[in-house]
Amino acid sequence: MSKDAGTPRVFLARHGETEWSANGRFTGTSEIPLTPHGELQVIGTGQKMAGPGKLIDPAKLVRIFVSPRQRAQRTLELLLPNNSTETEITNDISEWGYGKYEGLFSHEIRQGRKERGLDKERPWDIWIDGCEDGESPEQVTVRIDSLIARIREMQKDSMHGEKPADVLIIAHGHSLRAFTRRWLGYPLSFPLSVMLDPGAVGILSYQHRNINEPAMLLGMALPADK
């Protein structure tokens, strides 16, 4: 591979729409399937962005990490139908453990907490307060940091494209936003407002081809059709 092949990237793919993601329910461990529209979202993304010679090029992928949830695994099937890249199903990138808040709307969570005498000084914030009977920000940080450390180890010797080192992660709204914060070195409480639509792909990489300068890639030119 050419020395100008590019800095390794981490592609963040959110699963397609489910009934609960469409109406705003907190979906952690519940196995909610993709809607027909959600499947089309992923297929459309895959047709434009994934495959030989495209942005997510299997020839450049060294590993795929997927959440254990069925909606994430189905997303991989639709995004890369003929996937042959080594794939690992890992809880490190599973959705936030919502505990008592599973299946609820944000307003229901806040109302319930108010009734239990919580949040007297400020509104509930998952990035600071975590979830009752679920995960805290500290617990989410530990598992995501573990995955980041593994990815950096895979990529550290390929800052100039010496060998394929791109990574694809397929997961969920909160876990991917948490991953982004930690990739950049911020605590989960850091007020970094980022969005990732169902079926969409975000990109992380490194500045100056330096493993110690992780960065968010705000945009890049797409490969031309051949």
Side-chain angles (χ1 to χ4, degrees):
M1 185 172 292
S2 166
K3 289 288 185 178
D4 296 322
T7 310
R9 298 160 297 184
V10 178
F11 298 105
L12 307 178
R14 184 180 175 187
H15 64 75
E17 176 194 83
T18 69
E19 181 181 347
W20 281 16
S21 70
N23 62 30
R25 292 183 185 272
F26 277 60
T27 318
T29 57
S30 298
E31 293 289 14
I32 311 298
L34 302 186
T35 62
H37 177 62
E39 294 208 347
L40 289 175
Q41 287 174 323
V42 179
I43 291 170
T45 297
Q47 289 173 343
K48 296 175 177 65
M49 299 181 65
K54 296 183 180 180
L55 180 64
I56 305 174
D57 189 336
K60 297 181 180 180
L61 285 177
V62 67
R63 190 74 57 86
I64 299 174
F65 294 101
V66 190
S67 160
R69 302 285 76 80
Q70 292 176 12
R71 58 193 181 273
Q73 295 178 51
R74 177 60 175 157
T75 294
L76 172 58
E77 293 173 358
L78 297 171
L79 187 68
L80 287 170
N82 300 310
N83 174 47
S84 60
T85 301
E86 183 176 351
T87 300
E88 179 179 333
I89 298 172
T90 174
N91 276 310
D92 285 347
I93 199 59
S94 61
E95 184 56 297
W96 200 302
Y98 294 131
K100 189 176 292 186
Y101 307 154
E102 183 77 8
L104 299 182
F105 297 101
S106 293
H107 72 271
E108 293 175 323
I109 295 171
R110 292 191 169 90
Q111 180 60 33
R113 287 176 63 92
K114 181 178 180 181
E115 292 170 355
R116 291 188 290 277
L118 302 173
D119 309 329
K120 294 181 179 179
E121 297 183 359
R122 58 168 175 77
W124 169 71
D125 185 335
I126 191 172
W127 304 106
I128 298 172
D129 305 310
C131 301
E132 295 175 90
D133 298 334
E135 285 188 292
S136 67
E138 292 75 21
Q139 289 172 312
V140 174
T141 295
V142 167
R143 59 182 174 87
I144 286 179
D145 282 1
S146 174
L147 181 57
I148 288 174
R150 293 180 61 196
I151 292 172
R152 297 257 170 88
E153 184 65 25
M154 293 176 188
Q155 296 182 330
K156 66 183 178 65
D157 295 326
S158 299
M159 289 292 105
H160 294 269
E162 290 87 345
K163 58 184 178 180
D166 284 350
V167 168
L168 171 63
I169 296 175
I170 301 180
H172 313 269
H174 268 125
S175 64
L176 290 174
R177 283 180 280 165
F179 187 96
T180 300
R181 283 175 165 88
R182 293 307 300 148
W183 182 265
L184 299 174
Y186 299 134
L188 296 194
S189 59
F190 186 81
L192 179 68
S193 295
V194 291
M195 297 173 62
L196 190 63
D197 288 339
V201 174
I203 312 173
L204 302 173
S205 189
Y206 307 88
Q207 291 192 80
H208 309 123
R209 302 192 180 197
N210 187 337
I211 191 72
N212 296 313
E213 296 186 49
M216 182 188 300
L217 192 54
L218 292 180
M220 65 177 296
L222 298 177
D225 292 334
K226 295 181 180 180

